[in-house]
Amino acid sequence: MSRARARPDRRRGIGLRLRITIAFLGGALAVSTLVAGTTYVLAERYLSRQRVDDSVEQAFDSLRDALRYLAQPEEEISLNELIRTLEAHGGEALVMNGDTPFSTSLDV
């Protein structure tokens, strides 16, 4: 009987300090993952929307330039000059005259 009392219970679980540390690390990991994911999604959405908006704006600017050029008298209109005008203001352009394409780039 004296042996049972003299021998303290050696089974100890994880200490409170270690449990608090693990909980803090888990919470910090969850919060940092949430912030990083949210930042990525918002930045990706913003950049995609900006790319689309810029493309649409460039297309409308090119259309305005083409309409302004085509408003000239018919004898002054040259498709090659129209392509040069569009290329100077907006980059690449593709103009169709019937079934004949006129392009500023071989890629278009």
Side-chain angles (χ1 to χ4, degrees):
M1 197 150 128
S2 64
R3 268 189 181 192
R5 286 187 179 173
R7 206 170 163 197
D9 189 80
R10 294 273 180 194
R11 289 185 333 176
R12 287 180 49 175
I14 298 175
L16 179 61
R17 188 177 293 167
L18 184 57
R19 284 186 288 179
I20 290 173
T21 302
I22 291 172
F24 178 78
L25 289 175
L29 179 64
V31 168
S32 65
T33 302
L34 180 68
V35 169
T38 303
T39 302
Y40 175 79
V41 167
L42 290 175
E44 190 269 337
R45 187 177 298 160
Y46 171 77
L47 292 174
S48 294
R49 188 173 295 142
Q50 185 179 16
R51 187 179 317 138
V52 168
D53 290 347
D54 288 345
S55 297
V56 169
E57 183 179 344
Q58 184 178 5
F60 278 117
D61 286 345
S62 294
L63 181 62
R64 253 184 257 115
D65 290 340
L67 290 174
R68 194 175 307 126
Y69 181 80
L70 293 173
Q72 298 176 7
E74 192 170 323
E75 53 276 346
E76 295 179 16
I77 295 175
S78 162
L79 288 178
N80 290 328
E81 186 61 35
L82 173 61
I83 291 172
R84 278 197 281 295
T85 302
L86 293 175
E87 184 180 32
H89 291 107
E92 298 176 355
L94 177 66
V95 177
M96 298 290 293
N97 183 15
D99 290 337
T100 308
F102 295 87
S103 174
T104 60
S105 170
L106 295 176
D107 296 338
V108 175

